Amino acid sequence: MTDAIPPRLRERWRTIWPADQADALLATFATPKDTTFRVSSLRAPQADTLEALRALGFDPQPVAGTTDGFSLPPSDRDALVRAAPVIDGRAYLQDPASWVPVHLLDPQPGEEILDLCAAPGGKSLQIADRMQNRGRLACVEAIRDRFFRMKSNLDRGGVKIAALYMKDGRHVGGAVPARFDRVMLDAPCSSEAGVEADNPDTWKHWSERKLAECSRKQHGLIRSAWTALKPGGTMVYATCTFAPEEDELVIDGLLRERDDVEVLEARWPWTATQPGLTSWDGEALDPRLTRTLRVLPGPQYGGFFCALLRKSDD
């Protein structure tokens, strides 16, 4: 079934992924993934939400290694979307790979944190949960429809510490330089990890020209995010694509431009991963990129790329 995915895209993935895993990884795009969700502690105790789901006939199983992630069979997705705990914000459907960036960011209560491209709000919800609704969370989104979807999700999720801004993220750093303790930049991307072999809509906009357009925007966003970060602060750059043009090359560009960037080790023990590439298309990249992380797709997980960066104090 994966033969329907554009040959050039499949060829690129095989070049990026570990060669001995490529066939198995490609096959995951033709297999329905488990229905996965986070249970928030902001609206109700976790045990109460799980009990409510069981009363509706669901049998949620913990996602290995997580404290707030659960899974159901793929066939339960439509029913779960209509279930009261999801409608009222106690639970939020999300791919577990999307939990990795917030885990790496490690937000703490009382901090001031920026989520630079925050819609539809899943990571903001998780950040606010980790902050125990204490501190300040600035959530930025440039597109009007996505902004109001984010606002609705945060309101339903019980987030009390968010300040929302409809603004192009590329201009935020210049407006509030060196302000935030931590910055999350889950950058808009080509969304390669969301490809489904039986759904042409998931790849119909994909092209190498699209990758280049996304990369240009990402370079602007990461400069803005870095400017907004305090010295000594940490930032996570993340995408849900496998494309090095949107992943390693964006980090490599920042490393070439700035001498205050420390690349910290990004590791995630709960699923298959690979370290970042140190060359692409014949171009050598910064060797520190081996400390970045590519989450590989599986039965529960989509894919993600994450870099954990620290701004030096000097």
Side-chain angles (χ1 to χ4, degrees), residues 61-267:
Q61 298 298 312
V63 174
T66 73
T67 59
D68 56 359
F70 297 87
S71 70
L72 294 166
S75 57
D76 280 355
R77 183 177 181 86
D78 289 344
L80 183 64
V81 169
R82 299 190 297 270
V86 171
I87 292 172
D88 65 22
R90 287 174 285 169
Y92 186 85
L93 272 75
Q94 198 171 29
D95 188 309
S98 293
W99 306 337
V100 179
V102 177
H103 169 81
L104 294 173
L105 188 68
D106 193 25
Q108 299 296 314
E111 293 182 329
E112 187 167 18
I113 296 178
L114 170 64
D115 191 350
L116 191 58
C117 300
K123 291 179 182 61
S124 293
L125 286 165
Q126 190 181 0
I127 291 169
D129 208 348
R130 295 282 291 268
M131 295 172 72
Q132 302 171 23
N133 253 342
R134 292 161 45 201
R136 182 175 184 271
L137 175 60
C139 303
V140 176
E141 174 56 44
I143 300 173
R144 180 179 177 85
D145 289 350
R146 288 174 57 83
F147 176 89
F148 284 105
R149 182 182 173 195
M150 172 182 70
K151 183 178 186 305
S152 175
N153 283 334
L154 298 187
D155 288 345
R156 287 189 299 109
V159 176
K160 305 297 185 185
I161 58 173
L164 277 55
Y165 301 93
M166 193 186 305
K167 187 178 180 70
D168 188 328
R170 289 171 288 189
H171 305 314
V172 170
V176 285
R179 175 163 180 168
F180 295 96
D181 299 298
R182 302 178 199 260
V183 175
M184 170 64 67
L185 173 52
D186 181 12
C189 69
S190 59
S191 303
E192 290 182 359
V195 166
E196 300 170 7
D198 61 351
N199 183 1
D201 285 346
T202 62
W203 73 72
K204 68 180 180 181
H205 297 298
W206 183 89
S207 69
E208 288 176 277
R209 180 178 177 179
K210 174 72 170 178
L211 302 186
E213 292 173 357
C214 289
S215 182
R216 283 193 292 273
K217 180 179 288 187
Q218 291 153 354
H219 280 284
L221 286 166
I222 201 170
R223 292 186 190 105
S224 175
W226 196 252
T227 301
L229 184 65
K230 288 179 180 178
T234 54
M235 182 176 87
V236 169
Y237 174 84
T239 73
C240 58
T241 186
F242 303 112
E245 295 90 341
E246 304 179 72
D247 296 340
E248 286 93 342
L249 269 67
V250 175
I251 304 302
D252 186 74
L254 184 68
L255 292 170
R256 292 175 188 272
E257 293 175 7
R258 304 289 301 241
D259 59 6
D260 59 351
V261 184
E262 180 183 357
V263 185
L264 304 180
E265 198 80 14
R267 289 294 173 260

Side-chain angles (χ1 to χ4, degrees), residues 16-18 25 267 272-277 290 292-296:
I16 296 164
W17 295 335
L25 294 172
R267 289 294 173 260
T273 63
Q274 70 177 129
L277 306 178
T290 58
T292 65
L293 175 73
R294 183 170 277 107
V295 177
L296 301 173

Side-chain angles (χ1 to χ4, degrees), residues 2 5 13-14 16-31 33 242 271-274 294-298 301:
T2 59
I5 299 171
W13 286 349
R14 288 184 178 278
I16 296 164
W17 295 335
D20 61 345
Q21 300 179 44
D23 288 342
L25 294 172
L26 188 59
T28 66
F29 291 89
T31 305
K33 286 184 167 52
F242 303 112
T271 189
T273 63
Q274 70 177 129
R294 183 170 277 107
V295 177
L296 301 173
Y301 289 76

